[in-house]
Amino acid sequence: MLFSESFLETMSGELLMTFLVAMVPVIELRGAIPAGVAAGLPPALACIAAVAGNLVPAPFIIVLGRRAANWLRGTRFFGPKIAWLERRAHLKGRLVRKYRLAGLVILVGIPLPGTGAWTGALVASVLDIRMRHALPAIFLGLVIAAAITTAITLGLFNLLI
């Protein structure tokens, strides 16, 4: 047995896998929590690892999002993609503009495709919400999304078993 195979079978490996899966855009904690529970983690540990992993990219997106967008907007390849991302962020940002931080919590807290920490951080960056306000709102939204996702995951596992 290889070291990587034996490590991934330990609780540390399962925690790391859950943490890393949660960092992936689109998958985020909606996919990490079921993966962690399926790997054998207790649901509470899967939640904690997924929330922590999903929160890691948010400050980088908030800080670097606007700078990178301004720099890449001038390129022929990335210009249209940046414009598309900004349109998407503005569409998602309607809720946030209307309700401010509560809107950001709701946007991140609904565990559906197109929502989550990555989208919330992008919206916060586009709307110039300060990180000291955005990160607690994103964290609270992640906790809500984790609770919903865990409840659904446990319900589905109980139905299948």
Side-chain angles (χ1 to χ4, degrees):
M1 191 182 301
L2 296 172
F3 170 75
S4 61
E5 290 174 4
S6 63
F7 178 73
L8 288 176
E9 292 174 359
T10 66
M11 185 173 286
S12 297
E14 293 163 354
L15 280 169
L16 180 63
M17 179 270 307
T18 304
F19 181 86
L20 294 174
V21 168
M23 291 177 68
V24 177
V26 181
I27 296 173
E28 300 187 38
L29 66 74
R30 295 179 300 272
I33 291 173
V37 171
L41 282 178
L45 282 178
C47 269
I48 292 168
V51 168
N54 204 185
L55 192 60
V56 167
F60 299 103
I61 296 168
I62 293 169
V63 170
L64 301 175
R66 178 56 48 200
R67 290 182 188 148
N70 289 337
W71 182 68
L72 293 172
R73 186 178 291 108
T75 65
R76 190 179 314 163
F77 180 75
F78 288 108
K81 291 166 183 48
I82 296 298
W84 177 82
L85 276 173
E86 286 181 334
R87 279 193 307 275
R88 182 174 176 219
H90 277 289
L91 288 174
K92 298 283 183 183
R94 287 182 193 164
L95 176 73
V96 176
R97 260 188 254 110
K98 184 174 182 181
Y99 298 107
R100 294 299 297 164
L101 295 178
L104 190 57
V105 170
I106 293 167
L107 175 68
V108 175
I110 299 172
L112 294 172
T115 65
W118 282 74
T119 303
L122 180 63
V123 167
S125 176
V126 168
L127 297 178
D128 291 323
I129 298 175
R130 292 181 179 256
M131 190 174 350
R132 68 177 181 195
H133 299 297
L135 279 182
I138 291 170
F139 175 75
L140 182 58
L142 286 176
V143 169
I144 293 167
I148 293 168
T149 302
T150 303
I152 292 170
T153 300
L154 294 177
L156 287 177
F157 276 119
N158 288 336
L159 285 176
L160 296 174
I161 295 175

